[in-house]
């Protein structure tokens, strides 16, 4: 399956790029494939975090439903 692609340019420290190139070369993994994998993992994680309800905004339940009904 072919997906449309877009060219993305960004700046990273030279030493980080060099280390990334070396690691990808050792693992025989194209840099583009690894970056795509990292981006997908990040997006998936962010979606999962957004779907989890946050309890910090829920009102505190001091009373049980039995106490409220009496």
């Amino acid at each position: 399956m072919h997906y449309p692609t877009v060219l993305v340019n960004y700046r990273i420290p030279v030493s980080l790029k060099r280390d990334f190139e070396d690691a990808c070369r050792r693992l025989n993994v194209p840099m583009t494939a690894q970056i795509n994998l990292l981006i997908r993992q990040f997006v998936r994680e962010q979606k999962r975090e957004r779907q989890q309800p946050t309890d910090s905004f829920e009102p505190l339940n001091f009373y049980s439903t039995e106490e409220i009904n009496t």
Side-chain angles (χ1 to χ4, degrees), residues 9-65:
N9 292 309
Y10 51 91
R11 296 184 183 277
I12 62 173
V14 173
S15 61
L16 179 59
K17 181 181 182 281
R18 202 173 298 131
D19 291 346
F20 184 62
E21 285 174 323
D22 291 343
C24 287
R25 195 174 298 119
R26 278 193 314 274
L27 296 170
N28 197 28
V29 176
M31 290 172 56
T32 299
Q34 186 60 35
I35 289 172
N36 285 332
L37 175 67
L38 294 169
I39 291 172
R40 279 190 204 99
Q41 287 174 338
F42 178 79
V43 169
R44 194 176 312 122
E45 181 181 304
Q46 294 305 307
K47 284 181 181 179
R48 198 174 319 122
E49 286 181 12
R50 269 189 281 150
Q51 290 173 352
Q52 291 178 353
T54 55
D55 294 334
S56 60
F57 298 110
E58 294 291 321
L60 295 176
N61 188 6
F62 290 105
Y63 305 103
S64 69
T65 53

